[in-house]
Amino acid sequence: MPEHLVLISPSANRVYAAATPSLITAETRALATGFGIPDIEVEPTVLGGVPYLAVRTPDHLAEDGVALLSNLSAVHALFRREGALLAPVELQRSERYPSDLVTIQKYQGKTNEQWTRLLLNVTAAATRHPRKLLDGTLQVFDPMCGRGTTLNLALSLGLDVTGVDLDRKDYEAYSAFIKTWLRQHRLKHTAEDKQLRTGGQTRGRRLDIEVAPTKEDFKAGAVQRASFLNTDTSDLDGLLRATSQDVIVTDTPYGVLHGSHGDRLARSPLDLLEVALSGWHRVLRSGGAIGLSFNRHVAPRSELSTLLQQHGFEPVTGEEDAFRHRVDASIDRDLLVAVKA
Ligand SMILES: C[S@@+](CC[C@H](N)C(=O)[O-])C[C@H]1O[C@@H](n2cnc3c(N)ncnc32)[C@H](O)[C@@H]1O
């Protein structure tokens, strides 16, 4: 069995970095199951004082294994073990734009971009067609997108994406950021910022972006689309087509107030999910999956799981605490994935 060693990215966040080897181990197992490589063997290891992930794949699936490992949330470099030495392996990354698209925005309440990537990966792995993640056809929806970490991540991976957030300041900050970023990187694009209206009623604002990595792609119409709807996620009627999304990924409110949010922004994720989940279920394709990141202090895992079942989702069972980690004294973070049959 060929053995690969994944050099784990040095993370900016010290607390998250300590949890990374076990998180990325669980992420690799989830992706391997989704990609049909169930016999993979994964374990964190240390070589020369540096943490790596050691991964053994059956011979005939070694190439598939490389594609999978290249797209882990925290891969820095990849090697193949050759006796006592390590040979570099070319990464097969999906990223199409400079990495600052995902990393440059810094604000209180931002979801760590590696965690967002991990959430997207394990959620996509649970869908009926996990390889859409790699071929650019996965349709991503973040129904509480904040200032757009998921939007930027999906764009960088060549995917189409829609986000919803009620906070006007988040919407305006994202709109200003993405327009400036697209201009500064001289990418051919359109950006339309207008009122969000249905049936003569104003529901908020909407930003629609079309972009392509090259002028030629843009001219040929090979564009990616990102939309941000600044409205209440518990009322999506008439805004998104039924069964149009492959994955829903979102970082739910933590019950910790970041900055000055208005009264309508829910602080308890369970109350909010109770009123929003049926609308989210409607827009998800059959065979699609939902991945929620949440704070166990304010949303017990079992209650969240029950709530998902009550709204027609089937939670994916796995190792109970595989993704659980402490962010700070008030946040005990975890994720839960469920599928729509
Ligand atoms: C943990 S934050 C998401 C942060 C985001 N992932 C980012 O990196 O910027 C949760 C978001 O839920 C949003 N939210 C809370 N209640 C909402 C509602 N009723 N409709 C839409 N968004 C809501 C908040 O405005 C907040 O931005």
Side-chain angles (χ1 to χ4, degrees):
M1 265 196 186
E3 184 178 20
H4 285 97
L5 287 141
V6 177
L7 180 61
I8 297 172
S9 305
S11 169
N13 176 324
R14 215 168 40 80
V15 174
Y16 187 75
T20 302
S22 67
L23 290 173
I24 193 176
T25 300
E27 179 191 8
T28 307
R29 290 198 180 116
L31 276 173
T33 306
F35 285 18
I37 321 178
D39 319 337
I40 206 160
E41 289 172 18
V42 194
E43 62 179 348
T45 185
V46 176
L47 292 179
V50 177
Y52 289 82
L53 195 69
V55 183
R56 280 174 292 276
T57 17
D59 277 315
H60 65 291
L61 291 171
E63 256 319 289
D64 244 18
V66 169
L68 180 160
L69 298 175
S70 299
N71 286 285
L72 290 173
S73 59
V75 57
H76 191 54
L78 186 61
F79 302 93
R80 188 181 161 106
R81 200 195 275 273
E82 308 270 350
L85 301 177
L86 300 184
V89 174
E90 185 85 20
L91 287 173
Q92 299 172 18
R93 289 192 192 272
S94 307
E95 280 87 345
R96 320 177 134 196
Y97 303 106
S99 63
D100 65 340
L101 171 59
V102 183
T103 56
I104 202 168
Q105 273 186 300
K106 300 272 182 262
Y107 50 89
Q108 210 181 13
K110 176 175 177 175
T111 311
N112 170 310
E113 50 266 18
Q114 280 179 7
W115 176 247
T116 306
R117 177 82 188 262
L118 182 150
L119 181 65
L120 177 64
N121 280 349
V122 299
T123 308
T127 64
R128 203 173 289 154
H129 303 291
R131 282 169 197 273
K132 283 179 144 196
L133 176 67
L134 302 185
D135 70 15
T137 59
L138 192 80
Q139 179 69 49
V140 180
F141 177 41
D142 183 344
M144 294 189 284
C145 66
R147 293 193 189 181
T149 307
T150 307
L151 301 187
N152 293 336
L153 172 68
L155 274 178
S156 79
L157 300 177
L159 307 173
D160 285 355
V161 60
T162 304
V164 169
D165 204 287
L166 184 54
D167 192 325
R168 178 56 62 90
K169 286 203 192 85
D170 281 354
Y171 175 81
E172 282 168 0
Y174 183 70
S175 178
F177 162 75
I178 193 72
K179 287 181 204 161
T180 306
W181 188 89
L182 290 165
R183 262 199 317 274
Q184 283 178 345
H185 287 77
R186 299 177 174 279
L187 287 163
K188 191 104 177 104
H189 70 278
T190 58
E192 204 184 349
D193 188 340
K194 60 181 185 203
Q195 280 201 342
L196 176 62
R197 290 177 69 80
T198 54
Q201 239 199 333
T202 302
R203 311 265 299 266
R205 293 199 68 78
R206 71 174 298 151
L207 173 71
D208 295 300
I209 306 277
E210 283 191 355
V211 60
T214 65
K215 273 193 191 112
E216 292 68 30
D217 283 340
F218 192 87
K219 265 196 205 141
V223 294
Q224 283 175 254
R225 296 188 173 82
S227 297
F228 187 145
L229 313 184
N230 178 212
T231 193
D232 194 328
T233 197
S234 61
D235 178 15
L236 298 178
D237 262 7
L239 299 180
L240 278 107
R241 269 188 305 114
T243 65
S244 57
Q245 309 297 317
D246 294 302
V247 288
I248 297 176
V249 284
T250 203
D251 189 18
T252 61
Y254 281 32
V256 178
L257 211 52
H258 290 294
S260 53
H261 279 173
D263 288 337
R264 287 165 75 211
L265 295 174
R267 292 181 62 181
S268 158
L270 290 171
D271 292 349
L272 178 57
L273 290 171
E274 176 76 57
V275 290
L277 276 174
S278 58
W280 298 359
H281 188 268
R282 192 183 58 83
V283 302
L284 192 64
R285 243 187 260 296
S286 139
I290 180 170
L292 300 175
S293 154
F294 62 98
N295 179 5
R296 290 172 72 128
H297 289 315
V298 296
R301 191 180 170 88
S302 58
E303 286 184 36
L304 202 54
S305 178
T306 306
L307 203 57
L308 284 164
Q309 286 174 57
Q310 285 166 351
H311 288 85
F313 296 99
E314 289 169 19
V316 174
T317 48
E319 253 181 90
E320 180 74 355
D321 282 342
F323 294 104
R324 181 179 184 179
H325 62 285
R326 182 183 179 279
V327 176
D328 58 34
S330 62
I331 302 177
D332 176 9
R333 192 159 57 178
D334 201 352
L335 66 77
L336 198 58
V337 174
V339 294
K340 175 172 171 177

